[in-house]
Amino acid sequence: MKLSPAALSALFVTSASAFVSTRTFTPKSLTRIYGQAGPPPFSSYGQPPAAPANPGPPSYGAPPAAPAAPATPAAPAAPAASGGNPNPLGGKSLDYTGGDDPNNANYGRLTDKLNEADIERRKAAEEAALRERAAEIRREERLKKIAYMRDMPDNQPAGTVEEFMFKEGVQDQLDKLDRDLVGLIPVKKRVKEIAALLVLDKMRRKLGFETSVPSLHMSFTGAPGTGKTTVAVRMGQILAKMGYCRKGHVVLATRDDLVGQYVGHTAPKTKEMIKKAMGGVLLVDEAYYLYNAANDRDYGQESIEILLNVMENNSEDLVVAVAGYKDRMDKFFSYIPGMMSRIGNHIDFPNYSADELVEIASVMARDLEYEINDDAMPVFKRYIEERMQLPYFSNARTVRNAMDRARMNSAIRTFEKYAIRGENGGMCSVEDLKGIHADDFQVLLDDILYADTDKRIFA
């Protein structure tokens, strides 16, 4: 159906009149809608136009009145006091304030994201430039070294081996090893070979030759009391003198020091011992006890894996030496081939002979400032020969125990002579305090010859 223009106008006026008659407008509501107070809308419909206020009669011939000043527009109303929201329609602002999405932290301004990407790109470019510059410096140094080695005459003096041996203190350590250890000719030879390699390697480095740190991990096999710990101490001091160890100290460890008793206990214990030995030598005595082939759940395997990792990655700051009986160590290496391949120096310590053990006793007496009488040496040698036939013989440790008992027998003899019997008015001489007589060793020999069979091992 089509409506004429007159019908549309009548419909519009009727709707507006109904709206005005049913809605009451207040200045406050008008302010909220239009921003300022004023008459209600459509209030002038159906009313005659208002007459001007006192227009007065027209003055003919009078000059025209000055034009009225333009009306000053009203200042916009201040925002509502509640919340200071300038939105004329009321309610919350349409600005984005976040939301409850937990992934809001991943969102951001596009400009911020572009700036961050640009910063990362510049950092990557700077790092690449630094790496390229470092590689260029290495190439330049390499070329300089090649030129230096090419132009260096063959008769370039590099110093004498003796000079390096004495200057670094290596010869002093080797002399001390000869003085403290009796016999062990193969062991001393092997130690000197390692020292020679280190000295020549340092001489090559002085001239600019390429050098690499040799494998210094060691395996000491032999019976108890054959000097494995003493040799380890001397090797640590030699490595420290040559600059291959920062400290040169030796840390002795056993299974109890490395393996824990429950899950998660082994790794901290092993790493703590490694930390103590850093810069020196870690000597693992009786290392075959770390692995128990009969128990797959044994915690020793974890300790072995940590040791293998350290031996491979920290070989320049830690030397690991394993020690034990030869047959058991060979079996241990068969179970752990990685340990065998990482050890470059295998040194076997043979048992001492009776004459060497007697000489060891003389060295011990000299260090303690005792004097063994000449007639006491044959008695002590016979004691050693008899003791070597019994179980649990421990080479130099057995000699040390025998020397301790001989010193005690000497003290008892001197005390009875001067303190109990009162000979010489109780005054003893220096020889009485320093001498060890044949009777002091005869007591030990009698314990073996005349004691019961099951008690001879304690003699």
Side-chain angles (χ1 to χ4, degrees), residues 186-187 190-191 194 215-223 226-229 231-232 235 239 281-288 311 319-334 336 338-350:
V187 175
R190 183 59 175 166
V191 173
I194 297 174
S215 177
L216 298 175
H217 302 305
M218 305 177 188
S219 170
F220 299 152
T221 56
T226 51
K228 296 186 292 294
T229 304
V231 172
M235 283 304 305
L239 295 176
V281 178
L282 177 62
L283 177 60
V284 183
D285 195 14
E286 296 182 325
Y288 34 77
M311 293 171 66
V319 175
V320 177
V322 293
Y325 292 101
K326 182 172 177 54
D327 54 345
R328 297 187 182 182
M329 289 300 297
D330 292 341
K331 190 174 182 179
F332 172 70
F333 288 143
S334 66
I336 314 294
M339 181 75 72
M340 179 71 173
S341 61
R342 285 173 172 82
I343 295 176
N345 302 285
H346 295 265
I347 303 177
D348 186 32
F349 289 71

Side-chain angles (χ1 to χ4, degrees), residues 156-177:
Q156 174 74 22
T160 62
V161 177
E162 291 80 4
E163 177 185 353
F164 273 81
M165 293 283 286
F166 283 101
K167 181 179 179 181
E168 303 297 338
V170 178
Q171 188 63 46
D172 180 59
Q173 296 298 326
L174 294 177
D175 294 341
K176 189 180 296 185
L177 187 66

